[in-house]
Amino acid sequence: MKKPFLGCAYYPEDWDEDQIDFDISMMKKAGITCARIAEFAWRKMEPSRGHYDFGWLHNVVDKLAAADISVVMGTPTACPPIWLIKEYPDVAELGPNGVRKSHGGRRHCCSNNPHYLEASDAIVTALAKEFGNDPNVIGWQIDNEIYSWGTGCVCEHCIERFHKALEKKYGSIENLNARWNLNLFSQAYDSFDEIPAAVNAWHNPHIHMEWIVSNREAQIDFVHRQAVILRKYTKAPIGTDMMPVNGEDYEKMNECLDIAMFNHYNEPSNLPGLPFWYNFIRTVRDTPFWNTETATTWNGSEAITQFLKPEGFCRVNSWIPIALGGEANMYWLWRQHWAGHELIHGAVLYPDGKPMHTFGEIQQTAAEFEKASDFITSTKVDTEVAIQFTSKNWNMFECQSVIANYGYLDGPSDTMHALTPLGICPDVIGARASLDKYKVIFSRSMLTLEDGDMPERLEKWVRDGGVWVVGPMTDIRDSVGAHYKKSATGMTERLTGVDMLHTIPTDGKYLAAEWTDGSGELKFGRWTEVYSEGGNILARITKGHSELVGKSVIASFDCGKGKIILCGAMLDRDDLTKLAKLALDMAGIKQRKVEGKLTVVPRKGDGMDGLVLCELGYENASVELDRPMTDILTGKSYPAGRLCVEPYGIYVLE
């Protein structure tokens, strides 16, 4: 089967068996080469405890195989059957109000509950024994969009896990009290088992962060537990479909998995920001990722939350994960449910089997995937630029956002947008990523750098010649989210030799700054950090309190063989692009002139190299080509110079 795969989520348990042949014939007509199945079908597989029925599922897998459509098999643990809830009511998640979730929906169970774990182990084992060696099962998806939202479960098992995690991390209750400053408000505890779930009081942000991390790591352990079972029976790659949130440590999640899977739903307004997530998921494992869910049209459950999208949206939305390092794009779902949940969600077919209006775009995408197969499978995204984006900082911002209505995602994603006009496609990296291949790294809104050995590796990397752009709100908290007592930062003051004098929230009314090169006023807002004199000052305060006027807000410094740029201001996109260009020039990184919302993806490998272009703003765009290139999709050749790209245009240039 040629890659990249074009797939869909198929729920044969929803339909009479006489519909299967029709569905598969339409999949062939659409160009579908892969189907995700079984992820919610626990009750049909195990109608009563220990009594299994896989005959219907074998029938579907075999029919798909006969049509040359591969299968990704899902473990059904997101939807425990009613017999389990009746036998063990405590399997259901316990809310902070003392009420357990009722049966229905999905992921309403506690991943620390021993009865749920026992039942999950049993169904996963039985399913793996049945299909582990089936040659048409090319991959396994564990559970579905597993994530601990809000407070999570507060049952006795979750609280016991929380206490054990705290004791392992802090060693003694005295150390925990000291690290969290629990003399404040007389909060200090005498033992770990006195510490409550952080759900029903004005708890300090440190206990809140540890509580949500404990809940989220329970989900990671639950996924790893299933992976251990599956590996006994299959050699096919194993993954779990993740979402565009980073509180659950996706680097840690994927340490024991084989392939990163990702679900993302988009509309025209957020499509230009979509590359950020694929640039991140691409770095989680050193293998091509699978985009396991996206909509053909709109998403919605009992009501549509979106509107008709422009023609070409489905095609470009299907191409962007492939351009950015994926080897599969799969639609949710194949055929709209005829009753039950999510009746209105977009699909490939309506419930009566008629194609939706994007069917032609899906067929076009399938044909293009086949044309570009050799190039896509032989090359990888080629970049020397990275943006840091860690799970610890996501959770820290969730518990102390510093500025109201400012999210952790804002800073790193703004940096990616600022690189777009320069034709740069960055990696987005977590705390464990190797830094060796990068010449420039951007760290913005990284409240803490204390995440494993990241500080030591960053320092070595910059001293060895890297260009490190340290943005606002970076390095101002320790590993638990507290201020440093003897300095304003953990390492940047030491490496640059200047002090962070002030941290200023600002709406721009009473504070202004200018570039020192004479290019004009600095456009910034929300937050700025003010530094003592030192280094090559790039921007200074020109208006504000007398104590602040003349002080540095952006400066560059030598650090060993490398450079550090301290940027204390939250810049608008134009000024951020100017700063990014300065850093890229320092590192000697080639840039391309890009106009519009055009994502330019350099790819290289196996004797091939080229560019994939994806226009994401539904507007005209252009890029300067530095040599003649040929579009694999159309066979058309283009000379060096300006290439104009139409709205939602896709080019695979070699």
Side-chain angles (χ1 to χ4, degrees):
M1 184 65 64
K2 271 193 169 185
K3 300 174 185 177
F5 299 113
L6 188 65
C8 63
Y10 183 39
Y11 299 94
E13 65 271 24
D14 293 357
W15 300 93
D16 296 334
E17 285 196 12
D18 61 8
Q19 292 293 303
I20 293 173
D21 289 338
F22 168 78
D23 278 326
I24 292 176
S25 70
M26 290 298 289
M27 288 182 195
K28 293 294 288 183
K29 186 175 181 180
I32 296 297
T33 58
C34 181
R36 294 167 60 226
I37 63 174
E39 63 180 348
F40 299 139
W42 189 341
R43 181 184 171 98
K44 188 153 186 177
M45 296 178 193
E46 189 180 9
S48 60
R49 181 182 284 277
H51 296 93
Y52 301 106
D53 178 8
F54 294 111
W56 65 275
L57 195 54
H58 277 292
N59 181 48
V60 173
V61 172
D62 292 346
K63 284 179 176 288
L64 288 166
D68 292 323
I69 298 173
S70 301
V71 166
V72 175
M73 186 69 71
T75 67
T77 49
C79 294
I82 190 65
W83 56 256
L84 180 59
I85 302 293
K86 287 166 66 176
E87 188 174 355
Y88 296 110
D90 66 340
V91 160
E93 184 178 299
L94 181 66
N97 59 357
V99 177
R100 291 193 181 274
K101 288 187 176 180
S102 58
H103 181 70
R106 59 185 189 242
R107 290 251 40 90
H108 50 285
C109 35
C110 172
S111 295
N112 289 315
N113 183 281
H115 303 303
Y116 174 61
L117 293 174
E118 179 186 24
S120 295
D121 289 350
I123 187 61
V124 172
T125 300
L127 184 65
K129 285 180 177 179
E130 288 287 328
F131 294 98
N133 292 319
D134 192 306
N136 200 43
V137 176
I138 61 166
W140 289 78
Q141 173 196 305
I142 294 174
D143 207 87
N144 171 260
E145 296 184 334
I146 189 167
Y147 198 82
S148 180
W149 298 101
T151 60
C153 182
V154 298
C155 75
E156 60 181 305
H157 306 293
C158 293
I159 292 176
E160 181 183 6
R161 177 194 173 87
F162 176 52
H163 291 158
K164 287 180 178 178
L166 291 176
E167 187 167 10
K168 181 179 179 180
K169 179 173 181 176
Y170 292 95
S172 68
I173 195 66
E174 293 78 16
N175 183 42
L176 180 147
N177 286 333
R179 293 291 305 278
W180 291 3
N181 188 23
L182 295 190
N183 288 325
L184 183 67
F185 296 178
S186 297
Q187 295 172 90
Y189 300 102
D190 295 320
S191 65
F192 287 103
D193 60 12
E194 294 173 345
I195 301 175
V199 296
N200 59 0
W202 183 25
H203 289 292
N204 70 44
H206 317 305
I207 186 174
H208 186 199
M209 189 171 83
E210 297 289 8
W211 171 254
I212 63 174
V213 168
S214 176
N215 269 265
R216 288 168 180 171
E217 290 199 340
Q219 312 296 5
I220 294 174
D221 288 350
F222 180 66
V223 169
H224 289 181
R225 183 184 182 108
Q226 291 194 36
V228 169
I229 295 171
L230 291 172
R231 282 217 170 76
K232 296 177 183 178
Y233 304 102
T234 185
K235 294 182 179 179
I238 300 166
T240 186
D241 54 333
M242 305 175 293
M243 294 177 287
V245 281
N246 196 24
E248 209 157 74
D249 189 336
Y250 286 153
E251 286 187 302
K252 186 174 182 180
M253 173 75 83
N254 281 273
E255 283 177 348
C256 295
L257 304 179
D258 306 306
I259 195 159
M261 298 177 174
F262 189 64
N263 297 350
H264 204 309
Y265 292 91
N266 317 299
E267 52 186 317
S269 62
N270 68 14
L271 193 62
L274 177 59
F276 181 88
W277 285 103
Y278 294 132
N279 288 336
F280 174 51
I281 298 301
R282 178 176 69 243
T283 70
V284 166
R285 290 203 58 84
D286 189 26
T287 53
F289 63 86
W290 291 356
N291 192 59
T292 31
E293 287 187 23
T294 194
T296 58
T297 54
W298 42 74
N299 53 318
S301 183
E302 287 76 40
I304 295 175
T305 56
Q306 299 176 353
F307 297 100
L308 180 70
K309 298 165 185 174
E311 187 166 6
F313 182 93
C314 180
R315 174 180 172 241
V316 74
N317 185 52
S318 305
W319 255 108
I320 191 67
I322 305 306
L324 289 166
E327 67 175 14
N329 182 74
M330 306 184 191
Y331 301 119
W332 202 92
L333 68 170
W334 167 247
R335 192 169 177 179
Q336 279 184 324
H337 298 313
W338 61 273
H341 288 81
E342 299 177 294
L343 290 177
I344 206 67
H345 200 292
V348 182
L349 303 184
Y350 288 104
D352 63 2
K354 293 187 184 74
M356 298 191 80
H357 65 277
T358 52
F359 198 79
E361 288 185 44
I362 294 167
Q363 291 176 310
Q364 180 182 358
T365 301
E368 291 174 342
F369 279 10
E370 186 167 0
K371 283 183 180 179
S373 175
D374 290 344
F375 179 80
I376 293 297
T377 56
S378 299
T379 61
K380 292 183 177 181
V381 177
D382 182 38
T383 186
E384 299 173 309
V385 180
I387 299 169
Q388 288 195 304
F389 181 66
T390 70
S391 174
K392 176 173 278 192
N393 278 285
W394 181 286
N395 288 321
M396 198 170 285
F397 261 88
E398 193 168 315
C399 301
Q400 49 168 318
S401 62
V402 184
I403 299 174
N405 302 316
Y406 183 80
Y408 174 47
L409 179 60
D410 294 342
S413 62
D414 278 352
T415 303
M416 186 202 71
H417 286 301
L419 291 167
T420 298
L422 305 174
I424 299 297
C425 178
D427 281 350
V428 177
I429 59 173
R432 298 167 183 79
S434 170
L435 310 180
D436 295 344
K437 77 171 187 173
Y438 303 114
K439 292 183 178 179
V440 178
I441 294 176
F442 293 86
S443 302
R444 179 175 168 182
S445 303
M446 292 279 291
L447 284 176
T448 186
L449 298 175
E450 292 188 12
D451 198 337
D453 63 352
M454 187 167 65
E456 294 79 12
R457 293 191 299 114
L458 270 171
E459 180 171 349
K460 180 180 185 304
W461 172 83
V462 72
R463 289 189 183 280
D464 287 346
V467 178
W468 185 25
V469 184
V470 183
M473 288 191 186
T474 293
D475 195 29
I476 59 175
R477 297 287 189 272
D478 70 8
S479 64
V480 302
H483 281 293
Y484 292 100
K485 295 182 190 177
K486 297 182 179 179
S487 63
T489 70
M491 63 187 284
T492 50
E493 288 186 340
R494 173 175 59 82
L495 294 181
T496 61
V498 300
D499 294 331
M500 184 186 294
L501 301 175
H502 304 286
T503 54
I504 310 290
T506 175
D507 60 4
K509 290 181 181 178
Y510 311 112
L511 197 67
E514 290 185 1
W515 292 100
T516 58
D517 64 3
S519 59
E521 186 176 345
L522 198 70
K523 294 179 283 295
F524 67 103
R526 289 196 171 197
W527 178 268
T528 191
E529 293 155 4
V530 180
Y531 309 114
S532 64
E533 202 75 10
N536 176 26
I537 297 177
L538 304 174
R540 291 183 185 274
I541 300 292
T542 55
K543 171 189 171 184
H545 289 235
S546 57
E547 164 61 22
L548 304 176
V549 172
K551 296 292 194 301
S552 168
V553 290
I554 306 177
S556 66
F557 306 84
D558 294 328
C559 183
K561 298 177 183 177
K563 297 275 189 182
I564 297 175
I565 299 176
L566 280 184
C567 176
M570 285 189 177
L571 304 176
D572 81 348
R573 197 161 294 172
D574 289 342
D575 278 333
L576 192 53
T577 295
K578 176 177 177 175
L579 185 70
K581 184 175 185 348
L582 176 65
L584 298 172
D585 288 343
M586 285 181 178
I589 293 177
K590 182 179 74 172
Q591 300 145 52
R592 295 178 176 85
K593 183 180 179 182
V594 174
E595 295 180 353
K597 295 180 176 69
L598 181 66
T599 292
V600 179
V601 188
R603 296 187 60 119
K604 184 180 292 186
D606 200 20
M608 299 181 181
D609 81 283
L611 304 172
V612 182
L613 310 180
C614 298
E615 198 290 309
L616 304 180
Y618 196 56
E619 60 190 35
N620 291 319
S622 68
V623 61
E624 291 290 329
L625 301 182
D626 58 1
R627 56 195 160 130
M629 307 189 86
T630 299
D631 183 12
I632 293 172
L633 302 183
T634 64
K636 187 175 180 179
S637 295
Y638 298 93
R642 185 169 180 248
L643 171 63
C644 294
V645 179
E646 70 279 8
Y648 289 163
I650 303 289
Y651 293 75
V652 181
L653 301 173
E654 187 181 12

